[in-house]
Amino acid sequence: MSRVYWKDVSTLALRNGGRESRPDFGAFLNESGVTCFRVWAPKASTVELELLLPAQGVRAIPMRRDAELTARGYQHCYFLELDQNCDGALYRFCLDSNFPAPDPCSRFQPEGVQGYSEIRHYGSFAWSDGDWRGIRQSLPLIYELHVGTFSRAGTFEGVRQKLSYLASLGIDAIELMPLAEFSGTHNWGYDGVLPFAPSSRYGRPEELQRLVHEAHAHGLGVILDVVYNHIGPEGAPQQMFADYLSPAYATPWGDGFNFEEPVVRDYVIENLRYWFEEFRIDGFRFDAIDRIVDSAATHVLAEVTEELRAVARSQGREVLLIAEDAEHRRRCLDEVEQDGFGFDLIWNNHFHLSTHAYFSDERQWYYRDFGAFEDVASTMRDGVVPRHADLFSTKEHDELLGVSSSRFVIFSQNHDVVGNRPDGARTAMLYGEQNAKLVSGMLLLQPSAVLLFMGEEQFSRNPFYFFHDMHDPQLRESIRRGRAREMKHAGWVVAGPPPESSKTFERSNLADDFEKDHAGFHRALIACRNTLRDRDILQTFSLRHSDAER
C-alpha cells in the first residue's frame, strides 16, 4: 500500500509491496485530529515535549518509551499523543531536562534552524494537477536555479512569478538547488541541516506547494537537488539525539550519514517519499553520491530508487532520478538486479571540461588535461573523453565510455563550475557572446539530457559566487581559509569575495538580467532541439554512441 503522511499514524504504515513496517517520526496528526509526536533519541535518558500554543504559553510534557516500536526492533524511541489538533503550534524536544532542540524531522522552522519546529498538516493543500504524470523521460531539458538569487524577492513566490517566462523557453523542468533549512539568511543549500523542512528564508511550505502546482500547470516538472552525503556544519540537531552521522564516513564537508543504523536509512528514504508525495516533486538530483558509504547487501541508493519507483507506479506518476558521481561509475546506471543503483541519468562533466578548456585556454584546476580539439570531438562523438582526466578521479579510463549519451546530463555551466571560480564568471564573460552561442548550439543539439544554469539563456554576465551565512566566527574563518587554499591550489591568483559577506550573496542575484529579455537565441535553438527530439531524430542519433552500433 502507498504510504500517506499525516493519516493513520497511530499504527505503522507499510512499505510498498508489503515489506516490513516503517514508523513515522516527527509531529503528525491522525484522522481523529489527535496530534502525535515520535522521536528517536538513544543519547537521552528522558525526553520532554516543549509545546508552545497560541495564548496558552509553553507546556512541558514528558514523553514515554515507545513499547510498540521496541517490540518491532526500533530501540530508544519516544512517543506522545495529545487529544487535540495542534496544527500550526510550535514545539521542540528537551533532552534530559537540559537541552531543548528542534525536531530532526521538523517539517518547518519559522524562526530558522535554532528556533521552534512548527506542526504542519500538509494534506490541506488543494492539488488539482491530477492529469500531470511527470517529466519527459527521454532527453529532458532542465533549468537549474537557486531560489534565493533567481528573483529580486529570492523566494518561492519569486520563482512562481517567472514560470511563464521559464515555460516560454521550451524547457521541460526546473531543478531547484537544495531547499533543506540551513543556518543563516543565505546559502547555496548544500549546508542544509533539517532535510524535511523547506527553508523558511524562501517562504512557507504551502508556497513551495503552490510553486510546484503552478509549474505543472505550465507544463514544467520540478526536480529537487538533495544531499545525503553529509549534514551542514552549523545548527544540526541530529547528533544530540542519536548517531545519525559517523566520522568513519567523513566527507570533505563533514561526517557522513551512518547508514548502518536502520533508523537513519529510514530517515533518508522517508525524506524522499515526503518530497515526492507531499510536494509532488517530479525528480531528484542526488549530490555527490560517490561520498555516500554503505556496506549493506543492498546499497541504500538502490533501496531508494526501487522504493521511489514503486511509489510512483502506485500513484500513476513518473519519477526522474539523476546521480552526480565524480567517479563516473557505470554502477550508477546499472539495474538494481545487476548490483547497480538504478538511476535514470548521470551528470557528465566532459562536455564542459573539453569545451571550456578549448574556448577559454584555461588549463588549471578541472581543466589541466583538457584543451585539445580532439577532446571536444571525442565528447561530441562518444559523450566522454576516453581517458578519464577528472580532478576527483584516479582512473585511467572513464567507465561511461560506451554508455548511450541519452543517459547523460551534460552542461556548459552549472552552480559548481561557475560558483567555484573566484570570479563567479559565466561562459559569456569568458568566451565572448559569439563563442558562447557556438557552445550553446553544440550543447543543445547533443543527444543527451541537457542542463542550463539560470541566466545562461540570457548570456548573463552577472557573477554567481559561493556564499553562506554561518554565524560561528571560527567556522566562517575556517571556510574562508579553506576556499583560499582551494583557489590557490587550482591556480587562481585571488580567492574571490568573502563568502560570508551579504554583498557577495546580493551580487549573485539575477533579477537585473531579466529586466530585458535576451533569450531569443536560446528559444529558437531550443525549439529546434525539441522538434528534432519530438521527431525521434536526436534519439536515433544517440544510438550511434551505444555499444551495439559501435
Side-chain angles (χ1 to χ4, degrees):
M1 59 182 285
S2 178
R3 189 150 181 263
V4 182
Y5 284 91
W6 316 111
K7 295 181 180 179
D8 193 27
V9 294
S10 59
T11 60
L12 301 180
L14 296 177
R15 295 188 188 188
N16 285 291
R19 289 175 287 189
E20 69 268 25
S21 335
R22 189 158 61 227
D24 288 278
F25 287 92
F28 39 82
L29 304 175
N30 67 14
E31 291 178 333
S32 300
V34 172
T35 303
C36 305
F37 301 86
R38 181 180 284 121
V39 64
W40 179 50
K43 290 186 176 181
S45 299
T46 62
V47 179
E48 289 183 327
L49 173 73
E50 188 177 296
L51 184 67
L52 176 59
L53 289 167
Q56 296 185 33
V58 176
R59 295 172 59 194
I61 310 169
M63 299 181 70
R64 61 174 174 81
R65 290 277 185 151
D66 197 324
E68 181 182 8
L69 287 195
T70 299
R72 291 176 175 265
Y74 286 88
Q75 305 294 325
H76 310 296
C77 296
Y78 293 81
F79 185 73
L80 178 67
E81 288 184 350
L82 295 179
D83 191 16
Q84 62 186 111
N85 185 332
C86 298
D87 188 28
L90 303 178
Y91 73 100
R92 56 186 179 182
F93 297 120
C94 193
L95 310 179
D96 295 330
S97 303
N98 292 315
F99 305 108
D103 184 354
C105 297
S106 171
R107 267 55 175 181
F108 187 52
Q109 293 291 121
E111 300 170 352
V113 295
Q114 303 291 353
Y116 281 90
S117 303
E118 181 178 317
I119 301 171
R120 299 297 308 146
H121 185 10
Y122 286 105
S124 61
F125 188 84
W127 295 96
S128 60
D129 59 351
D131 293 334
W132 178 262
R133 292 292 174 261
I135 300 168
R136 178 190 182 102
Q137 299 287 299
S138 175
L139 309 183
L141 179 55
I142 302 165
Y143 187 100
E144 183 188 28
L145 66 88
H146 179 268
V147 172
T149 56
F150 182 65
S151 70
R152 200 172 303 282
T155 61
F156 297 131
E157 176 62 16
V159 178
R160 188 192 68 80
Q161 291 179 5
K162 292 189 179 295
L163 288 174
S164 294
Y165 163 79
L166 290 167
S168 77
L169 297 176
I171 62 173
D172 297 300
I174 57 175
E175 179 179 307
L176 306 177
M177 289 173 64
L179 300 180
E181 187 67 78
F182 50 80
S183 179
T185 61
H186 48 270
N187 195 284
W188 270 18
Y190 299 93
D191 295 315
V193 299
L194 291 167
F196 287 84
S199 175
S200 58
R201 309 306 175 186
Y202 301 150
R204 294 191 59 81
E206 53 268 30
E207 292 177 296
L208 174 58
Q209 289 177 312
R210 185 183 180 196
L211 167 59
V212 176
H213 184 261
E214 295 199 17
H216 291 168
H218 281 82
L220 298 174
V222 180
I223 298 170
L224 180 60
D225 199 341
V226 289
V227 183
Y228 299 120
N229 45 56
H230 78 293
I231 288 177
E234 185 173 81
Q238 286 86 349
Q239 290 299 94
M240 296 174 64
F241 292 83
D243 287 329
Y244 282 82
L245 309 174
S246 170
Y249 311 124
T251 75
W253 317 288
D255 290 344
F257 277 93
N258 179 19
F259 287 115
E260 292 183 8
E261 282 284 357
V263 177
V264 177
R265 299 177 79 87
D266 290 353
Y267 187 69
V268 167
I269 295 169
E270 287 301 309
N271 181 236
L272 285 158
R273 292 191 59 155
Y274 164 76
W275 289 113
F276 185 74
E277 295 181 300
E278 297 301 332
F279 292 91
R280 304 207 183 180
I281 297 294
D282 301 292
F284 301 92
R285 181 261 191 190
F286 288 70
D287 179 68
I289 65 168
D290 52 291
R291 297 292 184 172
I292 296 175
V293 180
D294 182 24
S295 58
T298 300
H299 197 286
V300 66
L301 291 172
E303 194 173 346
V304 159
T305 59
E306 275 199 306
E307 177 138 349
L308 283 173
R309 288 205 175 88
V311 174
R313 283 194 299 270
S314 72
Q315 298 179 7
R317 296 170 58 192
E318 299 280 354
V319 61
L320 186 66
L321 302 175
I322 304 169
E324 182 202 23
D325 184 90
E327 295 288 339
H328 278 194
R329 292 172 293 176
R330 190 180 289 218
R331 185 185 184 189
C332 299
L333 300 174
D334 287 343
E335 299 293 335
V336 172
E337 293 77 10
Q338 300 170 339
D339 195 35
F341 296 153
F343 285 93
D344 299 301
L345 303 170
I346 186 170
W347 267 32
N348 180 350
N349 57 4
H350 280 204
F351 180 91
H352 164 72
L353 292 170
S354 59
T355 55
H356 180 87
Y358 182 77
F359 284 99
S360 72
D361 291 328
E362 290 185 348
R363 298 293 185 272
Q364 75 273 37
W365 199 30
Y366 296 113
Y367 316 107
R368 61 190 181 191
D369 291 329
F370 289 83
F373 179 77
E374 289 76 11
D375 294 335
V376 178
S378 177
T379 304
M380 298 289 288
R381 182 183 64 248
D382 300 316
V384 297
V385 177
R387 70 180 193 288
H388 197 290
D390 190 283
L391 181 67
F392 301 112
S393 177
T394 58
K395 295 179 182 178
E396 293 183 1
H397 299 284
D398 197 288
E399 289 187 20
L400 297 182
L401 183 64
V403 173
S404 171
S405 292
S406 63
R407 303 295 300 277
F408 303 153
V409 177
I410 64 173
F411 43 81
S412 62
Q413 300 182 47
N414 63 35
H415 68 274
D416 268 331
V417 300
V418 177
N420 281 326
R421 298 175 58 90
D423 54 7
R426 300 162 176 271
T427 55
M429 302 163 69
L430 297 167
Y431 313 162
E433 188 168 320
Q434 291 307 310
N435 281 338
K437 286 182 176 180
L438 176 59
V439 171
S440 292
M442 295 163 61
L443 175 72
L444 285 163
L445 297 180
Q446 277 290 97
S448 300
V450 169
L451 180 133
L452 300 176
F453 184 52
M454 60 177 191
E456 183 174 352
E457 79 286 1
Q458 296 276 355
F459 298 106
S460 174
R461 293 177 176 271
N462 194 80
F464 181 77
Y465 295 114
F466 173 73
F467 49 78
H468 70 83
D469 185 34
M470 303 295 179
H471 294 155
D472 187 308
Q474 291 184 335
L475 182 57
R476 285 186 171 208
E477 183 61 22
S478 176
I479 293 173
R480 183 189 293 189
R481 289 182 178 181
R483 295 284 296 182
R485 284 194 302 270
E486 289 177 7
M487 294 301 104
K488 183 178 180 180
H489 178 72
W492 305 111
V493 177
V494 295
E500 74 278 5
S501 169
S502 60
K503 291 183 179 179
T504 303
F505 167 66
E506 292 162 3
R507 289 172 63 190
S508 299
N509 192 285
L510 271 182
D512 290 343
D513 280 39
F514 296 112
E515 294 296 327
K516 294 183 179 180
D517 191 342
H518 296 292
F521 176 84
H522 276 86
R523 281 197 187 89
L525 194 57
I526 291 169
C528 178
R529 170 189 169 84
N530 290 346
T531 298
L532 293 174
R533 185 182 62 180
D534 292 344
R535 295 178 180 178
D536 292 334
I537 296 174
L538 281 181
Q539 292 89 327
T540 302
F541 179 66
S542 178
L543 293 176
R544 299 177 188 173
H545 298 344
S546 68
D547 285 324
E549 188 71 16
R550 287 170 64 85

